[in-house]
Amino acid sequence: PILANQIAAGEVVERPSSVVKELVENSLDAGADRIEVDIDKGGAKLIRIRDNGCGVVKDELVLALSRHATSKVATLDDLEGINSLGFRGEALASISSVSRLTLTSRTAEQSEAWQAEAQGREMSVTVKPAAHPVGTTVEVVDLFFNTPARRKFMRSEKTEFAHIDELVRRIALSRFDVTLILRHNGKVVRQYKSANTVQEQERRLAAVCGTPFMHHALAVSSEHSDVRLWGWLATPAGARPQNDLQYTYVNGRMMRDKLINHAIRQAYDELLPAGSFAAYVLYIELDPRQVDVNVHPAKHEVRFHQARLIHDFIFQALFSALHEAAK
Ligand code: ADP
Ligand code: MG
């Protein structure tokens, strides 16, 4: 099965930041409200994610590391309306097939913690007692040590860390209620304290997007047949030639979706010279049964059942907001 695992790893585990994404999503699914991300050497040496979520019971540690084992979907019906970020049960197995991975965890019911480690070509898992508060730590050491081709594809420490930093920023905007700490080579790089008031949320937004964005940020909020769109977008007056502030979320999931991007682009293009700058942080919320997230292994694309309706709603809402602001 190791071969199958390494093939699957190609889909989910592209580079250190993809590991961080999968592990932080697991922490969020576990209900954590504090997540610490420790990175050494851009993630090539160490990726450690520590959370205060529900933990994994001792008897399920081995299962958690095996392929297609997930606690998140029990029935086919669950697949229809996915609420959790993970559901394929592939991430831990894939990551452990291309690194030295340990999973240390304790649930509230257990008086002690346990650590599981996948070893050798057969990926046999050993479990031993450990010290850990309620929650989970996943440690990924020497990523791609056994897949030289992938290891070669890793960029410089600086570049790989920049990808991780960008990812953490995106996640920080997906869950204002969660404290996130990012360290690189032992130094704190980002510290987002849980933000619960509007004021605190805007402070986090400013920390992630910078003050220029905030100066021109226009809050939007719109609703149409059970679809809600809210967030911030930079008004035409704030137009700057910088295109990297484009964050969209569907039901709390980070997305780079063609349909959404097209609708947003179209709204900007109606009011600005075509192709000019757009910056936004936008949230779309709808009944999970109206959207299929099972299209892309890394889950950044979706399929809306009512694609046309969603597209036109986004366009209309943003066009009105931008138009109003331009007056
Ligand atoms: P998926 O997230 O798709 O279920 P993963 O391979 O990412 O698959 O994780 C496998 C299982 O391990 C999860 O379904 C969950 O039960 C458990 N798990 C992984 N990470 C954590 C965590 N940080 N806290 C609690 N449980 C976890
Ligand atoms: Mg997962």
Side-chain angles (χ1 to χ4, degrees), residues 26-27 30 51 55-56 64 69-72 86-92 136:
N26 280 347
S27 297
D51 71 48
V56 185
T70 178
S71 58
K72 298 170 193 172
F87 54 85
R88 290 166 187 274
E90 282 179 352
L92 288 185
T136 303

Side-chain angles (χ1 to χ4, degrees), residues 99-307:
S99 69
R100 302 179 216 277
L101 182 145
T102 54
L103 169 62
T104 312
S105 199
R106 197 185 128 191
T107 62
E109 294 74 36
Q110 284 171 202
S111 55
E112 60 210 330
W114 295 88
Q115 182 176 78
E117 187 174 6
Q119 277 170 331
R121 292 187 60 83
E122 291 77 35
M123 308 273 305
S124 63
V125 179
T126 57
V127 177
K128 59 178 190 204
H132 198 281
V134 174
T136 303
T137 295
V138 177
E139 216 172 79
V140 175
V141 175
D142 294 336
L143 183 64
F144 301 139
F145 79 96
N146 54 355
T147 50
R150 279 195 181 279
R151 194 159 182 97
K152 233 172 48 204
F153 268 105
M154 270 200 281
R155 298 290 167 231
S156 69
E157 175 176 335
K158 203 173 147 222
T159 302
E160 293 302 342
F161 184 74
H163 281 278
I164 293 170
D165 187 26
E166 173 66 13
L167 174 84
V168 169
R169 285 150 47 103
R170 281 177 187 270
I171 293 170
L173 292 182
S174 77
R175 288 292 301 272
F176 287 98
D177 55 322
V178 174
T179 294
L180 276 165
I181 295 159
L182 174 63
R183 296 187 198 89
H184 193 205
N185 298 328
K187 256 182 42 204
V188 175
V189 177
R190 307 276 168 206
Q191 190 158 22
Y192 302 114
K193 298 241 171 71
S194 72
N196 299 303
T197 65
V198 173
Q199 222 173 20
E200 288 169 342
Q201 290 182 357
E202 291 193 340
R203 204 172 306 144
R204 181 180 286 203
L205 184 73
V208 173
C209 298
T211 17
F213 177 85
M214 292 309 288
H215 280 147
H216 303 286
L218 171 71
V220 287
S221 176
S222 191
E223 202 167 338
H224 177 66
S225 47
D226 288 337
V227 186
R228 200 162 104 77
L229 173 77
W230 64 280
W232 299 268
L233 61 160
T235 59
R240 287 176 303 136
Q242 180 203 331
N243 261 323
D244 55 352
L245 273 176
Q246 302 185 335
Y247 298 165
T248 52
Y249 302 87
V250 176
N251 290 345
R253 244 174 237 282
M254 302 178 271
M255 288 295 158
R256 281 192 201 91
D257 185 74
K258 284 202 194 76
L259 178 109
I260 300 173
N261 289 350
H262 184 271
I264 299 171
R265 192 69 253 176
Q266 203 178 327
Y268 272 93
D269 283 351
E270 289 282 330
L271 295 155
L272 290 170
S276 58
F277 151 92
Y280 45 81
V281 180
L282 293 171
Y283 304 86
I284 296 156
E285 279 153 21
L286 74 169
D287 183 340
R289 279 167 306 191
Q290 290 296 314
V291 47
D292 185 5
V293 287
N294 205 2
V295 223
H296 189 279
K299 296 167 270 181
H300 28 67
E301 280 168 42
V302 281
R303 195 168 292 132
F304 294 104
H305 293 186
Q306 296 181 280

